[in-house]
Amino acid sequence: MKKVEVAVIPAAGLGTRFLPASKAIPKEMLPIVDRPTIEYIVAEAKASGIKEVILVISDRKQAIIEHFKENTMLETMLREDSKPDLAALVNEMCDGIKITYVDQKYPGGLGHAILVTKPVIQDRPFVVLLGDDLVINDGGLPVTKQLINEYEKLGASILGVQEVAQSETSKYGIVDPVTSGNLTLIKGMVEKPISNPPSLKAVLGRYLFTADIFTALEAVPRVPGKELQLTSGIEILLKQAPVYAYTFTGFRYDVGDKFGFVKATIDFSLKHKEIAAKVEEYLKSLK
Ligand code: UTP
């Protein structure tokens, strides 16, 4: 079985929920305290043993390339200015991982964003981490590593899921599981069901795919002007190969959504060594 060493991070979407902030600044670059969201996501991939990250971007997202580019001049200036702690932060995210970029020429949907990485991924299994979903599992395994561990036993595609409230199912891809329990084969998937969801297990921004997903995505009938949904590809994939849902451990923030972003900002600031005490005091002072 091939090892899972490559990750795809789709980050080419329009970010309409975050306008006007996302007009000029990619929403994946908006900081949660002092690090852009995308840096936490790359860090999760790195901590999970991933060696190569493919960032799917568009020409509006050049700031992402700038962020992950080595900046030796800034690092040197900070060292000369006796700021070694800051100097260490400038390039640490580029260490120990290869980052490449694939251009998504138009926002054709999440399925399309993944399909454009086919020439780079080829026949390798890979993980997908959505560029606006943070999952935190303090003290435990990162969610990507949890999926990789399951893959090493199953050798099949796995969707990271968690149960959501019935009222929330219309926001997510919902799986139709074969059995109950933390790991189950799935027999179907429904995108954002308004009523009668097949379960409460929602796919929350983390996936592990065998390369079969590419042929499945290519087989999705295309409708001009409509996005290529990843869910449509998964529906085809599960007719050809086993697809599992794994209920991961961790707390997920949708930072592409304003409330999710604010929640992450508060929670991360309460854990930030420089400001945690001040933020806590401030929050207590609020009525
Ligand atoms: P979202 O649907 O959350 O992002 O996609 P969006 O389309 O940018 O956001 P809204 O709904 O307009 O506010 C999840 C992830 O997939 C990427 C996004 O950048 C985001 O990180 N994505 C989405 C792509 O890379 N390409 C696409 O065509 C669509």
Side-chain angles (χ1 to χ4, degrees):
M1 195 194 300
K2 288 199 175 86
K3 280 184 86 174
V4 183
E5 293 187 325
V6 59
V8 171
I9 304 181
L14 291 175
T16 47
R17 285 171 296 161
F18 240 110
L19 283 168
S22 57
K23 188 178 168 204
I25 301 165
K27 69 170 173 183
E28 297 82 5
M29 283 300 294
L30 296 177
I32 307 295
V33 189
D34 53 2
R35 284 175 194 268
T37 302
I38 196 132
E39 194 179 307
Y40 293 103
I41 294 170
V42 170
E44 177 190 321
K46 219 163 144 177
S48 304
I50 294 297
K51 305 269 184 287
E52 181 183 348
V53 165
I54 299 163
L55 282 164
V56 182
I57 58 165
S58 67
D59 54 9
R60 293 174 52 249
K61 306 263 181 160
Q62 298 305 305
I64 297 179
I65 302 185
E66 243 358 90
H67 184 70
F68 289 106
K69 203 190 263 175
E70 221 171 72
N71 187 334
T72 35
M73 190 190 76
L74 179 58
E75 189 180 340
T76 310
M77 280 169 64
L78 288 165
R79 286 201 194 287
E80 283 170 5
D81 208 13
S82 304
K83 292 178 179 152
D85 293 354
L86 286 181
L89 292 179
V90 174
N91 293 320
E92 69 171 11
M93 75 289 279
C94 325
D95 288 346
I97 197 150
K98 178 179 168 197
I99 300 180
T100 51
Y101 299 90
V102 170
D103 192 30
Q104 187 188 21
K105 295 213 167 6
Y106 59 95
L110 185 54
H112 180 251
I114 290 170
L115 191 52
V116 295
T117 67
K118 181 184 173 190
V120 189
I121 301 266
Q122 297 186 357
D123 62 351
R124 296 180 286 173
F126 62 103
V127 281
V128 175
L129 298 86
L130 294 193
D132 57 358
D133 269 324
L134 284 181
V135 186
I136 298 306
N137 186 25
D138 282 335
L141 290 180
V143 52
T144 294
K145 182 64 182 156
Q146 295 173 39
L147 294 186
I148 293 173
N149 285 351
E150 295 307 312
Y151 173 80
E152 284 171 358
K153 293 178 232 158
L154 302 165
S157 296
I158 311 167
L159 315 176
V161 299
Q162 280 190 336
E163 288 215 343
V164 295
Q166 182 95 30
S167 57
E168 297 276 285
T169 52
S170 59
K171 294 205 289 190
Y172 303 103
I174 303 292
V175 302
D176 189 356
V178 172
T179 56
S180 57
N182 278 355
L183 179 68
T184 169
L185 259 177
I186 65 166
K187 54 178 187 281
M189 196 170 158
V190 188
E191 182 68 8
K192 303 182 177 156
I194 294 163
S195 57
N196 300 323
S199 75
L200 297 178
K201 287 179 192 286
V203 181
L204 297 181
R206 297 294 182 273
Y207 313 75
L208 192 155
F209 289 117
T210 61
D212 304 321
I213 190 64
F214 295 124
T215 18
L217 284 166
E218 283 163 345
V220 175
R222 296 304 304 273
V223 182
K226 286 258 187 240
E227 292 192 339
L228 172 51
Q229 301 284 354
L230 178 55
T231 300
S232 311
I234 295 171
E235 281 174 274
I236 292 178
L237 177 65
L238 57 82
K239 291 188 186 117
Q240 301 163 347
V243 179
Y244 290 82
Y246 176 70
T247 305
F248 62 81
T249 308
F251 191 86
R252 176 246 182 194
Y253 299 89
D254 176 5
V255 294
D257 165 77
K258 289 188 241 313
F259 183 48
F261 181 85
V262 171
K263 272 200 290 193
T265 302
I266 294 172
D267 289 356
F268 280 52
S269 64
L270 285 169
K271 287 189 270 183
H272 192 289
K273 61 179 186 323
E274 267 170 57
I275 57 169
K278 286 187 210 157
V279 175
E280 197 178 336
E281 199 182 322
Y282 175 66
L283 290 177
K284 277 187 189 149
S285 77
L286 295 175
K287 291 249 161 49

